[in-house]
Amino acid sequence: MKRVAILGSTGSIGTQTLEVIFENSDKFVVWSLVAYSNDKLLGQQVEKFAPQYAALISRDGVECLVDAVKEADVAVIATRGIVALDAVMYCIEHNIDVALANKEVLVTAGKLVIDALKGSKSRLLPVDSEHSAIWQCLQGSINKPSKIYLTASGGAFVGKLADQLQNVTPADALKHPNWNMGAKITIDSATMMNKAFEVLEACYLFDVDASMVEIVVHPQSIVHSMVQFDDNSVIAQLSLPSMKLPIQYALTYPQRVSCNVKPLDLTTISSLQFCKVDEASFPCARLGHEVYFKHPLCATVMNACNDVCVDYFLAGKLPFLSIYSTVRYMIDTYEQQLCDAEYTLDAVKHWDDVVRKHTIKFLEK
Amino acid sequence: MKRVAILGSTGSIGTQTLEVIFENSDKFVVWSLVAYSNDKLLGQQVEKFAPQYAALISRDGVECLVDAVKEADVAVIATRGIVALDAVMYCIEHNIDVALANKEVLVTAGKLVIDALKGSKSRLLPVDSEHSAIWQCLQGSINKPSKIYLTASGGAFVGKLADQLQNVTPADALKHPNWNMGAKITIDSATMMNKAFEVLEACYLFDVDASMVEIVVHPQSIVHSMVQFDDNSVIAQLSLPSMKLPIQYALTYPQRVSCNVKPLDLTTISSLQFCKVDEASFPCARLGHEVYFKHPLCATVMNACNDVCVDYFLAGKLPFLSIYSTVRYMIDTYEQQLCDAEYTLDAVKHWDDVVRKHTIKFLEK
């Protein structure tokens, strides 16, 4: 029985992880649950799964995240932002597997995490559907990929032009065509900022250069990503859109077991569509490639600023297109002064805090 | 340097194998070349590649096939029909790898070949694009597939209804939309008999039941096949249509090296189409599933009869739709008497001969 710590248990990934564990109760036991502030749902989860440990970050402080992983075999990281950075590092230092659903950990601290993994028996198991797909496609390969095709649904506004995006509302942006996810990530999907994050994640997870990662818009979210090898053979992973599959694969890896997701029926779907990213309308999509070649703390600037902007957009206080222009402004503002900055976990936390405060001040003006 | 024997060197696969070897002359050397009767092209090949051994089946007899593999490291089987059966068995008995481009060997003697492999260090390396795809998709998996999606271009007449097929000519049938192959296999593609063969091959190569193999029509021939696992995750292999990629992969496996096939550009292709097989118009497509559950010699009947029918069709002496009805008739005719027949290599050769003669007699009436 694998003891599973779930950090962020009341969010979309957290609750689906609990479903996977419930459906595989012969293999997994819930060891610990940590939520941010949803005490009601956490209480229900504690009642159903009887974990050894449960905590609320808003009440018990961020230290509870490290406490929660201490005796686990695998920690599912499904928190928002960089709050779980220390817990991830603790896992790696103590040979605990990390099933990573959170994007920000690798976006901000990717190089630090990958370096730490080198001396550890801990495995970094991707849970993001795209990275799970890439990982599945690379199984058994003794060659590195020559290219990664990162598929993108394109989000709620796929196919729209920039001038059609000027007055879109949070309600519009939250209508994702394929995925039922948290609000933050659904907005990141609408701006395609999520792809900037995922490009960086892919670089760290699969040891490739950002120039080897191409974003391909695939509005149906059936092909979850693809890899290409030196011989120009491409391997792709497909399934109906469901986060339960990548969650379960990360937990049961390298085994596959029956999963509560319907089989794919390509003859009914009949056609799979692919197109290039419209970078003029969705300039955020390009930021991962751009930031990859800058000082690694620039990704922290991008992430922290975007996080604040999404909250402002959701609150109706920032136009959709200003998410990009604000992030763009902050990257340009900080790039120079970060040039020689030391890159440590503390620096990530420091600049995350600095940029959040700066962004709030900037947007409140 | 791997010593490569090429059986069927003047055919489509044979000549492309020589191209692959020429492009990878640091890894491979042509050990032997055997052609059926094209002495002119064989002569040119001998001049260019200076093999240790060269022979013509029509002049030197079938024994030359075994002689050709004797000191090879890998034998590429690209002959037509079952002429290479003994050579394949020789390879397996002497731990020589077999890169199998010929369908008939597994169709007729699949169980015998797979049984022989159990006591051998010889590896059976699929060269057919579909089986290479399945093989690539299964790399690194510790799970067996729960389903195999065998893709089919649908051949020259994809989308046509049975009554539109009544008066089609050999010239029509030879116009394959994606693949430039030999005449026999192009007609098998037009009738979709090739899929019946490939279903059987897949069963033997990947140890699955025919009910687990589904044919999916994909007219573009970009997705070369797919596998599905217990968790309903599907892994697919894609590339532009080219036999050089599967030939090379079989030879360099498990390594991948640069291959002279253009990279896939899905955003230009823009959409991948899939549909069900029209079994009313292409009843041959279903014969693999049907024959799989009969005595294994029924596959020999199917293959031998089809082979003769294709020759008659190409000669303008048999209508297109009569290929199926003739094969159907022969399977029905022989099924009963084969019920208790011993299944050996000699039996395969015997019944192959019997059915060929019977089919000729039947068609000449």
Side-chain angles (χ1 to χ4, degrees):
Chain A
M1 296 287 275
K2 266 193 203 172
R3 293 165 296 184
V4 185
I6 307 178
L7 311 188
S9 69
T10 57
S12 172
I13 296 292
T15 53
Q16 290 183 81
T17 301
L18 285 170
E19 286 176 38
V20 167
I21 292 177
F22 187 75
E23 290 156 12
N24 292 278
S25 55
D26 56 323
K27 296 182 188 68
F28 306 108
V29 59
V30 177
W31 182 254
S32 57
L33 294 171
V34 177
Y36 185 72
S37 60
N38 190 341
D39 55 345
K40 198 177 154 203
L41 182 52
L42 181 68
Q44 291 167 6
Q45 292 176 341
V46 167
E47 204 165 308
K48 183 166 180 186
F49 291 95
Q52 297 293 311
Y53 180 92
L56 280 176
I57 300 171
S58 62
R59 182 187 67 202
D60 306 314
V62 290
E63 300 75 20
C64 71
L65 291 161
V66 173
D67 288 336
V69 303
K70 275 184 179 163
E71 287 171 79
D73 296 311
V74 56
V76 177
I77 312 297
T79 43
R80 175 174 162 179
I82 62 166
V83 71
L85 268 184
D86 287 335
V88 169
M89 284 301 184
Y90 183 94
C91 287
I92 296 174
E93 282 157 16
H94 294 81
N95 302 320
I96 298 163
D97 286 344
V98 176
L100 193 62
N102 162 295
K103 296 182 200 290
E104 295 93 327
V105 166
L106 283 184
V107 167
T108 62
K111 286 190 186 176
L112 303 170
V113 167
I114 298 302
D115 281 349
L117 278 165
K118 281 170 192 161
S120 168
K121 284 179 191 154
S122 167
R123 298 178 302 174
L124 188 58
L125 310 161
V127 173
D128 232 355
S129 62
E130 293 81 359
H131 302 92
S132 176
I134 297 163
W135 187 38
Q136 292 177 54
C137 293
L138 287 172
Q139 288 306 309
S141 173
I142 59 172
N143 294 68
K144 278 183 61 174
S146 58
K147 193 161 184 179
I148 289 176
Y149 296 97
L150 190 77
T151 52
S153 68
F157 303 131
V158 62
K160 290 219 188 309
L161 298 174
D163 58 5
Q164 298 175 287
L165 296 175
Q166 250 160 356
N167 300 312
V168 294
T169 66
D172 297 332
L174 286 171
K175 284 180 203 139
H176 195 285
N178 308 325
W179 297 97
N180 185 11
M181 305 177 291
K184 161 66 167 56
I185 199 167
T186 305
I187 303 305
D188 286 343
S189 179
T191 59
M192 294 193 73
M193 180 63 90
N194 64 336
K195 295 299 143 182
F197 294 154
E198 291 168 12
V199 166
L200 293 170
E201 286 181 273
C203 292
Y204 296 122
L205 282 167
F206 307 110
D207 191 22
V208 298
D209 184 292
S211 64
M212 291 156 69
V213 184
E214 182 177 330
I215 304 169
V216 174
V217 176
H218 168 53
Q220 296 148 300
S221 300
I222 299 291
V223 177
H224 298 302
S225 278
M226 299 174 270
V227 301
Q228 183 170 295
F229 294 102
D230 276 341
D231 56 3
N232 287 334
S233 179
V234 172
I235 305 290
Q237 189 263 335
L238 298 80
S239 74
L240 291 180
S242 161
M243 284 310 297
K244 286 175 82 171
L245 204 156
I247 292 167
Q248 182 178 292
Y249 186 67
L251 293 177
T252 64
Y253 173 83
Q255 279 283 357
R256 291 181 187 269
V257 299
S258 172
C259 181
N260 190 6
V261 48
K262 278 188 193 155
L264 187 62
D265 180 356
L266 278 180
T267 60
T268 299
I269 292 168
S270 135
S271 113
L272 298 174
Q273 313 290 333
F274 303 91
C275 63
K276 285 193 192 299
V277 178
D278 174 2
E279 291 181 6
S281 304
F282 300 94
C284 290
R286 196 67 212 164
L287 285 176
H289 290 89
E290 189 187 323
V291 159
Y292 179 82
F293 294 102
K294 298 184 192 292
H295 188 287
L297 285 168
C298 288
T300 293
V301 175
M302 174 180 79
N303 173 62
C305 176
N306 177 66
D307 209 7
V308 173
C309 288
V310 169
D311 279 346
Y312 272 72
F313 170 70
L314 284 169
K317 297 196 288 183
L318 188 72
F320 184 75
L321 292 177
S322 299
I323 297 174
Y324 172 72
S325 58
T326 308
V327 173
R328 168 87 276 159
Y329 170 79
M330 286 292 163
I331 293 172
D332 294 346
T333 301
Y334 282 89
E335 186 176 1
Q336 204 57 35
Q337 61 176 300
L338 288 177
C339 230
D340 301 315
E342 210 189 0
Y343 182 47
T344 62
L345 224 53
D346 283 341
V348 168
K349 292 176 194 169
H350 170 72
W351 290 104
D352 181 77
D353 190 53
V354 166
V355 173
R356 279 173 195 277
K357 285 175 178 154
H358 188 173
T359 306
I360 291 169
K361 206 171 142 192
F362 179 82
L363 296 179
E364 290 292 343
K365 259 203 269 195
Chain B
M1 295 288 275
K2 266 192 202 170
R3 292 166 297 184
V4 186
I6 307 178
L7 311 189
S9 69
T10 57
S12 172
I13 296 292
T15 53
Q16 290 183 78
T17 302
L18 285 170
E19 286 177 37
V20 167
I21 292 177
F22 187 76
E23 290 156 14
N24 292 277
S25 54
D26 56 323
K27 296 181 187 66
F28 307 108
V29 61
V30 177
W31 183 254
S32 57
L33 294 172
V34 177
Y36 185 72
S37 60
N38 190 340
D39 56 343
K40 197 178 155 203
L41 181 51
L42 182 68
Q44 291 167 7
Q45 292 176 342
V46 166
E47 204 165 309
K48 183 167 180 187
F49 291 95
Q52 296 293 311
Y53 181 92
L56 280 178
I57 299 171
S58 62
R59 182 188 66 202
D60 306 314
V62 290
E63 301 74 23
C64 71
L65 291 160
V66 173
D67 288 336
V69 303
K70 275 185 179 163
E71 285 171 82
D73 296 311
V74 56
V76 177
I77 312 297
T79 43
R80 176 175 163 178
I82 62 167
V83 71
L85 268 184
D86 287 335
V88 169
M89 284 302 184
Y90 183 94
C91 287
I92 296 174
E93 282 157 17
H94 294 81
N95 302 320
I96 298 163
D97 287 342
V98 176
L100 192 62
N102 163 293
K103 297 183 202 289
E104 294 91 328
V105 166
L106 284 184
V107 167
T108 61
K111 286 188 186 176
L112 303 170
V113 167
I114 298 302
D115 281 349
L117 278 166
K118 280 170 192 159
S120 167
K121 284 179 188 150
S122 167
R123 300 177 302 174
L124 187 58
L125 310 162
V127 173
D128 232 355
S129 63
E130 293 80 359
H131 302 94
S132 177
I134 297 163
W135 186 38
Q136 291 178 53
C137 292
L138 287 172
Q139 288 306 309
S141 173
I142 59 172
N143 294 68
K144 278 183 61 175
S146 58
K147 194 162 183 176
I148 288 176
Y149 296 97
L150 190 77
T151 52
S153 69
F157 304 131
V158 63
K160 291 221 188 309
L161 298 173
D163 58 4
Q164 298 174 288
L165 296 175
Q166 250 158 358
N167 299 312
V168 294
T169 66
D172 298 331
L174 285 170
K175 284 180 203 139
H176 196 285
N178 309 322
W179 297 100
N180 184 10
M181 306 177 291
K184 160 68 166 58
I185 199 166
T186 305
I187 302 305
D188 286 342
S189 178
T191 59
M192 293 193 74
M193 180 63 91
N194 65 335
K195 295 300 143 181
F197 294 154
E198 291 168 12
V199 166
L200 294 169
E201 286 181 272
C203 291
Y204 296 122
L205 282 167
F206 306 111
D207 191 22
V208 299
D209 185 292
S211 64
M212 292 157 69
V213 184
E214 182 178 330
I215 303 169
V216 173
V217 175
H218 167 54
Q220 296 148 301
S221 301
I222 299 293
V223 177
H224 299 301
S225 276
M226 299 175 269
V227 301
Q228 183 169 295
F229 295 101
D230 276 340
D231 56 2
N232 287 335
S233 179
V234 171
I235 305 291
Q237 189 263 336
L238 299 80
S239 74
L240 292 181
S242 162
M243 284 310 297
K244 286 177 83 169
L245 203 155
I247 292 168
Q248 183 178 292
Y249 186 68
L251 293 177
T252 64
Y253 173 82
Q255 279 283 356
R256 290 181 187 270
V257 300
S258 173
C259 181
N260 191 8
V261 46
K262 279 189 192 158
L264 187 63
D265 180 357
L266 279 180
T267 61
T268 299
I269 292 168
S270 138
S271 116
L272 298 174
Q273 314 290 333
F274 303 91
C275 63
K276 285 192 193 297
V277 178
D278 174 1
E279 291 181 6
S281 304
F282 301 95
C284 291
R286 195 68 211 165
L287 285 176
H289 290 89
E290 188 186 324
V291 160
Y292 179 82
F293 295 102
K294 298 184 192 293
H295 189 286
L297 286 169
C298 288
T300 292
V301 175
M302 173 179 81
N303 173 61
C305 176
N306 177 66
D307 210 8
V308 174
C309 288
V310 169
D311 278 345
Y312 272 74
F313 170 70
L314 283 169
K317 297 196 285 181
L318 188 71
F320 184 75
L321 292 178
S322 299
I323 298 174
Y324 172 74
S325 57
T326 308
V327 174
R328 167 89 276 158
Y329 170 78
M330 285 292 163
I331 293 172
D332 294 345
T333 300
Y334 282 89
E335 186 176 3
Q336 206 55 34
Q337 62 175 300
L338 289 176
C339 231
D340 300 313
E342 211 189 0
Y343 182 47
T344 62
L345 224 52
D346 283 340
V348 168
K349 293 177 195 167
H350 170 72
W351 291 105
D352 180 77
D353 191 52
V354 167
V355 173
R356 278 173 196 277
K357 286 175 179 153
H358 187 174
T359 305
I360 291 170
K361 206 172 142 192
F362 179 82
L363 296 179
E364 291 291 344
K365 260 203 266 197

